[in-house]
Amino acid sequence: MNSYDGIVSLLIACLELGYIVNLLIFAKKNPVNKLVIGTIALLFGYQFIEFLICFVGLKSQFMVYLAFFDITLLPPLGLYSVLVYADKLGKHHKLIFIPALFFNVYYLFVLDQFAIVKCTVLYASYHYPLGPLYATFYYLPILASMIILDKKWGAETDPKNKSLTRLFFFGYLFTFLPSMIIALFVPQFVTSVESLLCKMGFILATFSTLFVIKNKN
């Protein structure tokens, strides 16, 4: 094992923790901002867990489960944040958390099927059950978030709100569009997509931090 495996995860975790601390001190604590800070906290949590797995060597199946528990909550929480921001939240929208709840409960009972396949300086690869189904329910909320933000951006007439929405949208766009392009040309990205996508999630964390600082409504 390379003694520096997981070190990039620690670096990103430290930067994201810095974002969180600054936002908790300086940002306005409105409902949208609190939800977005929660998303950044989940991104931080995954990076720190991956550091513990790959660098510290805590490679138990339960640690892998904790990593998946964390990232499984990211898409629905992100979509929920977008719905609140776009003022489109309805009572039924809480149902978007049901797939995440299903996977997090189901995976708890199949811990023996989790495994670390590979740890490197940059990423980790995992083995876990229901991969294709998990991926489907993982990416749908992300796609929905981008569509809602794009529509809100186009409908905005106030320059300040338009700029704010654009910032939120670009966080998603610049995180997931490059990821899709890389996946087409780098097969290793697909086999380690959970880890590498969360590394790209640092872009989302950065744009989200700027969004929260500017979102004073």
Side-chain angles (χ1 to χ4, degrees):
M1 181 185 71
N2 190 317
S3 60
Y4 292 103
D5 287 350
I7 200 68
V8 173
S9 297
L10 177 61
L11 172 61
I12 294 176
C14 289
L15 292 172
E16 289 173 344
L17 180 60
Y19 287 167
I20 294 167
V21 171
N22 278 277
L23 292 177
L24 291 175
I25 295 173
F26 299 110
K28 186 172 182 179
K29 309 305 185 296
N30 57 49
V32 174
N33 286 353
K34 289 178 181 179
L35 290 168
V36 176
I37 292 171
T39 300
I40 301 172
L42 287 176
L43 287 167
F44 156 76
Y46 173 79
Q47 296 301 334
F48 186 68
I49 293 171
E50 188 173 291
F51 162 72
L52 293 178
I53 291 171
C54 290
F55 188 88
V56 180
L58 302 180
K59 296 186 176 183
S60 69
Q61 292 162 325
F62 184 70
M63 287 298 294
V64 181
Y65 168 77
L66 286 180
F68 272 81
F69 182 94
D70 184 296
I71 62 173
T72 300
L73 295 173
L74 275 167
L77 181 59
L79 177 55
Y80 193 86
S81 305
V82 168
L83 288 168
V84 174
Y85 174 65
D87 198 23
K88 294 184 178 295
L89 186 67
K91 292 182 179 180
H92 65 285
H93 281 127
K94 292 182 180 178
L95 297 176
I96 62 178
F97 288 96
I98 287 181
L101 179 62
F102 163 77
F103 282 108
N104 281 338
V105 172
Y106 172 75
Y107 281 161
L108 189 60
F109 290 95
V110 291
L111 287 179
D112 58 330
Q113 297 185 44
F114 279 93
I116 293 289
V117 177
K118 185 178 184 180
C119 268
T120 72
V121 173
L122 181 61
Y123 64 88
S125 299
Y126 307 99
H127 177 271
Y128 58 97
L130 301 182
L133 183 64
Y134 180 84
T136 300
F137 283 99
Y138 195 88
Y139 293 113
L140 284 177
I142 294 171
L143 179 61
S145 298
M146 296 179 68
I147 292 172
I148 293 169
L149 286 173
D150 183 54
K151 288 184 176 180
K152 180 173 173 56
W153 178 20
E156 287 285 5
T157 55
D158 182 272
K160 289 184 179 180
N161 289 338
K162 198 174 188 71
S163 175
L164 192 63
T165 303
R166 180 173 64 237
L167 194 63
F168 205 176
F169 173 72
F170 279 175
Y172 278 90
L173 182 67
F174 293 153
T175 298
F176 295 102
L177 183 59
S179 299
M180 289 186 289
I181 294 173
I182 293 171
L184 292 174
F185 298 99
V186 183
Q188 188 61 43
F189 190 94
V190 177
T191 60
S192 306
V193 65
E194 301 84 16
S195 177
L196 291 171
L197 191 58
C198 282
K199 295 293 184 301
M200 298 292 291
F202 178 68
I203 299 172
L204 179 60
T206 302
F207 274 86
S208 295
T209 298
L210 295 173
F211 168 83
V212 171
I213 290 173
K214 292 177 178 291
N215 182 30
K216 302 181 184 299
N217 297 329

